[in-house]
């Protein structure tokens, strides 16, 4: 039907051909991350010559996002006109919601080319049964999915745990950064990201896109894992990794680390050298530059979408069932199938008592062998010994398969180039901001005669964004069950941030 490489290639081509230069990284100086949603649809009127014949499908990118940034708590606004989280995965998902709203406008106008068909209840539609959606990301999601076992044969972001540290944790690592200790990213030929000189006993961490590239140095040797590593969150395969060996016999000496911080109320990371640095399975928030963010990690958000769907609360007023991703494809990067399964599926697998239509999805997870050309490591490999520091691109691009103004380029949560004076104007709003998606929802509602409204919109008079979200009762019931059973420490914005009309 499709392969991971086909999905990655399609997304990379769409990025190169369909997205303009605006918002893309400056060559040889900046990098970014890419995410997209791909619609998969069987070709009509296929002939079946043999039972083994594969189904032929069309593949179409319906939303795309780039970005590596999110704003701090102090920059959040109560009128919904700023993008709090501009990581590529979140931009792609919000762009997908814009696409879904357009498709609902089509079906409400009785047009035939919508992905929706009439449902069984008044005012509700459902997704055509032959359609699937695949989510693509050029990199492992930040947070829990990025805590990946690192083998002895790999180039390390930090040195293995020393034998003397295992026996005496108070012993500190010492030494200076040397060329042979420099980290290489996604492949054996990729050069180091940044050169640093360290004083004895100091460790260095460079955080970008929620991934911390950590270095601690000294004359170290591989040793036993500290005895207080928690095994309660690990599967048998992960526990084998943490205790030092993979099923194939390779020694696990460390983990790739995430810069996403544990949320208040969760057990904190031990920050011990080596594989004990992180606890796995925890909720995390994305890091900010000084100002702490309220944005949950992409691993946490993808896990939530895997139960609640990608449509959000507002669109549940018009559709019978959540819209789930059938598969997730990750581009070439540090990757662990075990970590992805844990972060996106297993830590929520026991959530139960969900409303009809909701459930924990066994989403298919695959990795492509194709590297994104503007990923951090691809750009670093091209620039070789170029002078200057490699930095993440400050802009985020949103693209949706809609006829009017499909492209949206933002920086710091607002349209790129908007001045402080313009920020209060309607023109200085991203088309995927909360308030603009709410406006599109309200236009959809006004295009439908009131006698055809779904029951959820008839219960009481609704005015604010918060009112409409709360009135989506089945969605809120599912979200409440998920929080109670798995994600109790999830950071939620105060209600006064959702009171706009």
């Amino acid at each position: 039907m499709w392969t991971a490489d086909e999905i990655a290639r399609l997304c990379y081509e769409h990025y190169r051909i369909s997205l303009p230069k605006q918002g893309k990284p400056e060559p040889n100086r900046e990098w970014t991350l890419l995410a997209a949603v791909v619609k998969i649809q069987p070709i009509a009127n296929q002939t079946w010559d043999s039972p083994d014949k594969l189904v032929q499908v069309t593949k179409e990118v319906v939303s795309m996002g780039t970005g590596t940034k999110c704003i701090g708590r102090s920059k959040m606004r109560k009128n919904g006109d700023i993008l709090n989280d501009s990581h590529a995965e979140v931009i792609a998902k919000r762009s997908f919601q814009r696409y879904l709203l357009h498709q609902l406008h089509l079906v409400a106008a009785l047009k035939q080319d919508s992905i929706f068909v009439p449902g069984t209840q008044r005012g509700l539609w459902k997704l055509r049964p032959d359609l699937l959606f695949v989510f693509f990301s050029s990199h492992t999601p930040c947070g829990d999915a990025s805590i990946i076992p690192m083998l002895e044969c790999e180039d390390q972001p930090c040195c293995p745990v020393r034998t003397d540290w295992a026996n005496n944790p108070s012993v500190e690592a010492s030494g200076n950064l040397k060329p042979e200790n420099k980290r290489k990213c996604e492949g054996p030929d990729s050069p180091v990201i940044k050169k640093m000189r360290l004083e004895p006993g100091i460790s260095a961490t460079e955080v970008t896109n929620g991934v911390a590239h950590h270095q601690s140095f000294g004359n170290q040797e591989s040793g036993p894992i500290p005895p207080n590593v928690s095994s309660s969150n690990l599967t048998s395969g992960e526990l084998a990794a943490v205790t030092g060996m993979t099923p194939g016999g390779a020694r696990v000496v460390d983990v790739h680390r995430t810069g996403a911080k544990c949320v208040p109320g969760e057990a904190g990371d031990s920050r011990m050298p080596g594989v004990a640095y992180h606890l796995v399975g925890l909720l995390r928030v994305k890091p900010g530059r000084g100002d702490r963010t309220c944005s949950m990690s992409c691993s946490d958000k993808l896990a939530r979408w895997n139960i609640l769907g990608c449509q959000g609360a507002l669109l549940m007023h018009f559709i019978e069932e959540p819209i789930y991703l059938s598969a997730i494809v990750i581009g070439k990067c540090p990757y662990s199938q075990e970590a992805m399964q844990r972060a996106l599926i297993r830590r929520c697998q026991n959530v139960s008592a969900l409303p009809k239509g909701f459930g924990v999805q066994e989403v298919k997870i695959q990795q492509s062998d194709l590297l994104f050309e503007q990923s951090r490591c691809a750009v670093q490999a091209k620039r070789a010994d170029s002078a200057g520091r490699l930095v993440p691109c400050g802009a985020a691009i949103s693209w949706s398969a809609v006829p009017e103004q499909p492209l949206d380029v933002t920086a710091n949560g607002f349209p790129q180039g908007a001045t402080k004076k313009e920020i209060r104007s309607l023109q200085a709003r991203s088309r995927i901001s909360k308030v603009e998606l709410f406006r599109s929802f309200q236009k959809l509602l006004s295009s439908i005669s009131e006698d055809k409204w779904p029951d959820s919109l008839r219960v009481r008079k609704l005015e604010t964004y918060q009112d409409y979200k709360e009135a989506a009762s089945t969605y809120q019931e599912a979200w409440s069950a998920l929080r109670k059973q798995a994600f109790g420490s999830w950071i939620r914005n105060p209600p006064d941030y959702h009171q706009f009309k």
Side-chain angles (χ1 to χ4, degrees):
M1 183 179 284
W2 55 266
T3 67
D5 282 355
E6 287 174 348
I7 297 295
R9 187 177 296 109
L10 177 69
C11 293
Y12 296 158
E13 288 177 356
H14 186 90
Y15 174 84
R16 285 196 302 269
I17 296 171
S18 300
L19 269 59
K21 184 178 180 181
Q22 182 189 10
K24 290 182 177 178
E26 183 181 326
N28 294 321
R29 198 184 80 84
E30 294 180 329
W31 58 274
T32 194
L33 299 179
L34 175 72
V37 177
V38 177
K39 181 181 72 173
I40 307 290
Q41 183 174 7
I43 296 175
N45 303 319
Q46 295 185 52
T47 57
W48 305 103
D49 300 331
S50 69
D52 298 329
K53 185 176 179 179
L54 293 177
V55 178
Q56 292 181 303
V57 298
T58 60
K59 300 179 288 292
E60 177 190 359
V61 175
V62 295
S63 77
M64 180 165 280
T66 72
T68 66
K69 307 282 188 177
C70 55
I71 65 169
R73 180 185 303 167
S74 66
K75 294 183 179 178
M76 294 171 60
R77 292 164 60 93
K78 294 183 179 181
N79 55 3
D81 64 350
I82 190 171
L83 294 177
N84 297 333
D85 189 341
S86 294
H87 280 215
E89 296 95 326
V90 177
I91 296 292
K93 183 255 194 179
R94 298 187 69 82
S95 303
F96 181 53
Q97 290 176 327
R98 188 180 177 210
Y99 165 78
L100 293 176
L101 274 163
H102 170 66
Q103 293 294 319
L104 285 169
H105 276 281
L106 290 179
V107 74
L110 303 179
K111 296 187 177 180
Q112 300 298 313
D113 53 351
S114 174
I115 64 171
F116 293 104
V117 295
T120 58
Q121 302 176 50
R122 180 180 58 186
L124 297 183
W125 291 284
K126 61 184 179 181
L127 192 66
R128 288 173 49 174
D130 60 337
L131 297 182
L132 301 175
F133 293 104
V134 175
F135 191 85
F136 173 78
S137 176
S138 64
H139 200 277
T140 304
C142 66
D144 196 55
S146 291
I147 304 173
I148 301 170
M150 185 174 293
L151 305 183
E152 191 173 36
C153 58
E154 296 179 293
D155 291 308
Q156 307 300 320
C158 61
C159 296
V161 179
R162 298 181 313 193
T163 304
D164 59 349
W165 181 88
N167 295 326
N168 181 7
S170 65
V171 176
E172 294 183 351
S174 63
N176 293 321
L177 173 59
K178 297 180 180 180
E180 61 267 28
N181 285 328
K182 293 187 290 186
R183 182 187 180 187
K184 299 177 182 178
C185 266
E186 292 157 84
D189 299 322
S190 301
V192 67
I193 298 306
K194 184 178 179 183
K195 297 179 181 179
M196 307 177 81
R197 182 81 176 171
L198 300 179
E199 297 300 324
I202 300 294
S203 65
T205 305
E206 181 183 357
V207 179
T208 47
N209 189 46
V211 178
H213 305 293
H214 181 94
Q215 307 242 14
S216 56
F217 303 95
N219 186 14
Q220 299 181 338
E221 297 177 356
S222 214
I225 304 306
N228 57 349
V229 175
S230 171
S231 63
S232 60
N233 293 322
L234 304 181
T235 65
S236 58
E238 290 165 336
L239 187 58
V242 169
T243 53
M245 301 292 286
T246 67
R251 181 184 294 275
V252 176
V253 292
D254 206 340
V255 289
H256 290 275
R257 297 177 184 173
T258 178
K261 312 299 182 185
C262 299
V263 301
E266 291 273 7
D269 289 320
S270 71
R271 295 182 175 270
M272 296 177 182
V275 295
Y277 188 87
H278 284 305
L279 292 181
V280 298
L282 303 182
L283 290 173
R284 296 174 181 272
V285 292
K286 291 166 181 168
R289 287 177 174 254
D291 187 14
R292 192 182 184 102
T293 79
C294 293
S295 298
M296 302 299 295
S297 75
C298 288
S299 292
D300 299 333
K301 290 186 175 183
L302 279 161
R304 174 180 170 174
W305 305 340
N306 197 45
I307 293 179
L308 303 185
C310 290
Q311 75 294 320
L314 289 183
L315 295 192
M316 280 305 299
H317 285 295
F318 289 112
I319 57 178
E320 284 191 340
E321 294 183 345
I323 297 178
Y324 291 114
L325 301 169
S326 296
I328 296 173
V329 174
I330 304 297
K332 185 178 181 182
C333 65
Y335 176 88
S336 164
Q337 186 74 15
E338 187 82 15
M340 288 288 292
Q341 293 280 348
R342 175 194 70 226
L344 306 190
I345 303 174
R346 283 206 309 273
R347 56 184 176 153
C348 299
Q349 66 184 359
N350 294 324
V351 173
S352 60
L354 293 166
K356 182 181 178 181
F358 290 86
V360 182
Q361 305 300 299
E362 284 295 328
V363 61
K364 185 179 181 180
I365 302 174
Q366 294 185 356
Q367 186 183 28
S368 167
D369 286 328
L370 303 181
L371 179 67
F372 178 43
E373 65 183 2
Q374 292 193 313
S375 68
R376 180 176 184 167
C377 291
V379 175
Q380 182 67 57
K382 291 177 185 176
R383 71 197 301 264
D385 296 325
S386 300
R389 182 168 172 247
L390 182 63
V391 296
C393 181
I397 304 174
S398 160
W399 182 91
S400 302
V402 298
E404 296 182 8
Q405 298 178 311
L407 189 71
D408 193 58
V409 181
T410 56
N412 299 314
F414 289 110
Q416 191 177 44
T419 64
K420 288 185 178 180
K421 186 176 181 180
E422 293 171 332
I423 280 176
R424 296 183 182 275
S425 69
L426 295 178
Q427 290 73 28
R429 292 175 174 175
S430 166
R431 298 181 185 95
I432 58 169
S433 63
K434 287 187 181 76
V435 68
E436 285 302 306
L437 289 179
F438 186 39
R439 294 286 181 271
S440 182
F441 171 84
Q442 289 174 317
K443 288 180 182 178
L444 172 63
L445 188 59
S446 64
S447 71
I448 303 169
S449 60
E450 198 166 331
D451 62 310
K452 294 182 180 179
W453 284 6
D455 292 341
S456 62
L457 295 173
R458 297 165 170 269
V459 177
R460 59 187 175 89
K461 185 177 180 180
L462 306 173
E463 295 183 351
T464 67
Y465 178 73
Q466 181 76 5
D467 290 342
Y468 279 94
K469 282 170 64 76
E470 288 181 347
S473 56
T474 56
Y475 182 92
Q476 296 301 340
E477 183 183 343
W479 180 209
S480 177
L482 175 57
R483 291 198 311 273
K484 288 178 180 177
Q485 298 177 52
F487 285 169
S489 299
W490 190 283
I491 295 178
R492 304 177 70 193
N493 294 332
D496 58 340
Y497 281 85
H498 292 159
Q499 295 304 318
F500 52 89
K501 297 180 181 180

